[in-house]
């Protein structure tokens, strides 16, 4: 057999694998969207899951056609919510007030962990 006969076999195998993984990605995205959608009742969720199990390819196409725009909006809303939560966490973690820093330094001074000179240096650094 020549290289080119094997080449097309390999090409076909990679193409089939690509289609299969794309299908799995879309399937899991749809299943995630079904359970994330709060406006969809439990019965409709069960119906969609039933059809995705027994008629997977057709159900996937119908879901993407019928609810694809809402799926994108829910995904965007979720991303914005996650970003807002991350920003709030960063703000809380990074925003220690000067009095808090001085109080922490005082505790370290009282415990003998730092010297009086280091305590004064921390106070000057925080106040500036």
């Amino acid at each position: 057999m020549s290289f080119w006969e094997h080449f097309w076999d390999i090409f076909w195998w990679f193409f089939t694998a690509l289609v299969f993984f794309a299908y799995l990605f879309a399937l899991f995205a749809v299943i995630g969207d079904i359970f994330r959608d709060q406006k969809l009742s439990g019965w409709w969720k069960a119906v969609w899951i039933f059809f995705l199990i027994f008629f997977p390819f057709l159900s996937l196409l119908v879901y993407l056609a019928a609810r694809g725009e809402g799926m994108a909006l829910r995904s965007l809303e979720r991303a914005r919510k996650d970003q807002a939560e991350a920003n709030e966490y960063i703000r809380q973690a990074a925003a220690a007030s000067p009095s808090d820093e001085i109080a922490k330094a005082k505790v370290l001074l009282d415990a003998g962990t730092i010297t009086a000179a280091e305590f004064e240096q921390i106070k000057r650094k925080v106040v500036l």
Side-chain angles (χ1 to χ4, degrees):
M1 289 189 135
S2 73
F3 168 76
W4 293 106
E5 289 174 7
H6 289 295
F7 172 78
W8 290 112
D9 289 339
I10 293 169
F11 177 80
W12 181 249
W13 185 87
F14 275 111
F15 179 74
T16 305
L18 173 73
V19 169
F20 178 71
F21 285 117
Y23 167 74
L24 285 179
F25 180 80
L27 182 67
F28 287 120
V30 165
I31 290 172
D33 185 65
I34 288 172
F35 287 108
R36 199 175 303 125
D37 188 5
Q38 296 177 354
K39 295 179 184 174
L40 197 61
S41 73
W43 286 106
W44 279 112
K45 289 177 184 182
V47 168
W48 277 114
I49 295 297
F50 173 82
F51 279 104
L52 282 170
I53 290 171
F54 292 106
F55 306 103
F57 190 72
L58 181 63
S59 300
L60 184 66
L61 290 176
V62 169
Y63 187 89
L64 290 174
R67 298 179 49 85
E69 185 177 339
M71 188 175 172
L73 292 174
R74 283 185 293 279
S75 178
L76 181 62
E77 178 184 322
R78 179 65 181 193
R80 285 182 181 157
K81 181 182 175 211
D82 290 345
Q83 184 65 44
E85 288 175 0
N87 290 343
E88 181 60 30
Y89 173 76
I90 290 169
R91 241 181 254 110
Q92 286 177 350
S97 69
S99 61
D100 290 340
E101 291 295 323
I102 293 171
K104 288 178 189 176
K106 179 66 173 154
V107 169
L108 292 173
L109 177 65
D110 292 341
T113 308
I114 61 173
T115 64
E118 291 172 324
F119 175 71
E120 292 301 323
Q121 182 182 7
I122 291 172
K123 276 182 19 180
R124 272 184 267 126
K125 186 177 170 184
V126 170
V127 172
L128 296 177

